[in-house]
Amino acid sequence: MLTVGIDVGSIMTKAVLLNGTELKSLAIPTGCSPRDSGTKSFEELLNASGLTREDIDYVIGTGYGRISVPFIDKAVTEITCHARGAHYLVDGTDMVIDIGGQDSKVILTDGKGNVTNFAMNDKCAAGTGRFLQVMAAALGSDVSKLGDLSHGAEPAQISSMCTVFAESEVISLLAQGVAKKSIVAGIHKSVANRVAAMAERLGKGSRITFTGGVSKNDGVKEYLAREMGREIIVVPQSHLAGAIGAALLAQDRLRAKKS
Amino acid sequence: MRPGSMRIVEDLRDQNILALEHAKKENKKIVGMYCAYGPQELVLAAGALPVSLCGTRHEPIAAAEKVLPRNLCPLIKSSFGFAITDTCPFFHFSDFIIAETTCDGKKKMFELLRRYKPLHVMHLPQGTDRPGALKWWMEEMNILKNKLEENLGVEISVENLRAAIKLLNRERAAMKRLHAMNRIDPAPLSGLDMITAIWMKGFNVDKEDGISLINQLTDEIEDIAGKGFSPFAAGTPRILLTGCPVGIGSEKVIRLLEECGGSVVCFESCSGIKTLEYLVDEDESRDPMEAIAERYLKIPCSCMSPNSERLDLIERLIGEYSVDGVVDLSWQACHTYIIEGELVRERVRERFGIPCIQLETDYSNSDLEQLKTRISAFIEMLGGS
């Protein structure tokens, strides 16, 4: 049974090929066309294994661009997919924190990968990867390097939740001569605060798995653990949770069809 | 299979505008109303036509924001915008407006709105559980009665009040029967058609015609259901919608719920069952004003504190309509409904263990994609789509 999960995020497109339990993956930037990046990731993934679309039994698309990918069998929201993927990556996960490029979500599950409740950030960019990206630009850094910058630093106070105002705050902190690593620590704390508050309202998780692109940032992970007073689990494939979940749900669909 | 009467329902708004023009020419008085607390019996008994006023569309909000703050609920801004831009024909034709102190935003907005039309604001009590609440509301009814008599140049007689009570009770019973059709699983009428019917009814000028049309629609639905037809497949998740009032123009959440694979079977909100649970007591040995006051005060609106009747009603409806999930819709900046949402979620989860989601949005389309993700995920949670 060959299934594929494609997670078209606002920044990155992730594709996962599942052959039974064997997993292959890739991630490429989404750019300005979710349709093109979805198609490209799919083709590259298949080419690498010498496969064609006809060889694949079921494809599920997820992420904000899920509907714009033409070749999928079904679209499923990233909430359902992340829950399933996180359960696969970390057995017994009952809370998923997914921070992506343009939104953040907290998902409660039944411990078996099924969603029981969820919360999602509102219209604004606070508590998302976009927030980190804007701050990284203001600091003249690359967003992928931010995580290593804040280690051991005393966080500067970033009080504005609004991305635009927080950027001005960062610029004025720089002007005051505050150390860059303190500012970065403050930025991480701000994102973690926002997401932890959302998680707190939703319920208590005993096994919390952190997924999405921002899970690669150790600083945010560290402050999430501090804010929530619990361990935050990140695995090397955390950023692929959505695509993995989609490929697993595709397997479920096939099994349900056969039985 | 869609009921043929829905075509007539959809056409009602235009028909009613024409009917109002005619009524105006015949010197009939028209009274515009914003909220379910406005006692229509008094208006009918005054020989005037009660009509709902516009306030469910996004278009006039920009005009309203030139005067009102942006962080106000869209319903208040839309209502005010429609009025000041003279784009609501019902407001335009109204001789008198009945308003209520349902929330701080509304009551202060009405202070500005009175520049455009003769308007009376009824003062609601803060809750219904104090001994003086009904007495207070009775007094407010009497003040309104005097205002109507004064402004419309008529006298409201006991006989006319009793006739109006009977007429409106019949309308409520007809509406309740229409809602109850969707207790059938799968629902014979889509939620979108149901909200269209409910909303259009509000603008209806001739009550008797309205009752006949609703009965005709319900009969037709009964027939369709009898043949086993439904716009939904068996097993489609059944949703109860509660929270802030919804109408055409602000129906995006209902539309998305059904596009994403759900079926909105029950409307608890003001335009829905909330206001149909109780009839006005027709006992002729009673003072009709008291009977009217009593019934209106029973509306379980979040402006009342406490408002446990709403939770009880939701609980009853979940059973009656075999509901799989509850959607609590809050308009941005509607503090009372947003805060009460916490109690709704608690009650629904504790008593039924079914999913409940609170969606906070406005009338604009700016968050459609985000909403779609939330709503799809909610439907997926219910095992649908």
Side-chain angles (χ1 to χ4, degrees), chain A residues 130-151:
Chain A
R130 178 72 67 202
F131 182 86
L132 293 173
Q133 223 169 23
V134 171
M135 299 311 140
L139 290 163
S141 300
D142 187 89
V143 70
S144 62
K145 307 266 167 19
L146 275 191
D148 304 326
L149 280 176
S150 66
H151 196 68

Side-chain angles (χ1 to χ4, degrees), chain A residues 115-132:
Chain A
V115 181
T116 55
N117 200 2
F118 65 90
M120 197 170 149
N121 69 318
D122 287 308
K123 290 178 179 178
C124 98
T128 70
R130 178 72 67 202
F131 182 86
L132 293 173

Side-chain angles (χ1 to χ4, degrees), chain A residues 64 66-67 74-80 102-103 105 115-118 120-123 201 253, chain B residues 332 342 349 355-357 360 362 364 366-367 369-370 372-378 380-381 385:
Chain A
Y64 99 102
R66 63 187 177 279
I67 31 155
K74 190 176 167 51
V76 176
T77 63
E78 53 269 38
I79 294 163
T80 303
Q102 65 179 8
D103 54 35
K105 303 177 188 87
V115 181
T116 55
N117 200 2
F118 65 90
M120 197 170 149
N121 69 318
D122 287 308
K123 290 178 179 178
R201 274 201 302 278
R253 284 253 153 191
Chain B
Q332 276 164 15
E342 191 64 28
R349 292 203 185 114
C356 178
I357 190 175
E360 203 180 315
D362 60 11
S364 77
S366 65
D367 62 348
E369 283 307 313
Q370 280 238 6
K372 204 170 185 175
T373 299
R374 275 170 208 226
I375 288 174
S376 300
F378 183 69
E380 285 165 7
M381 252 169 92
S385 200

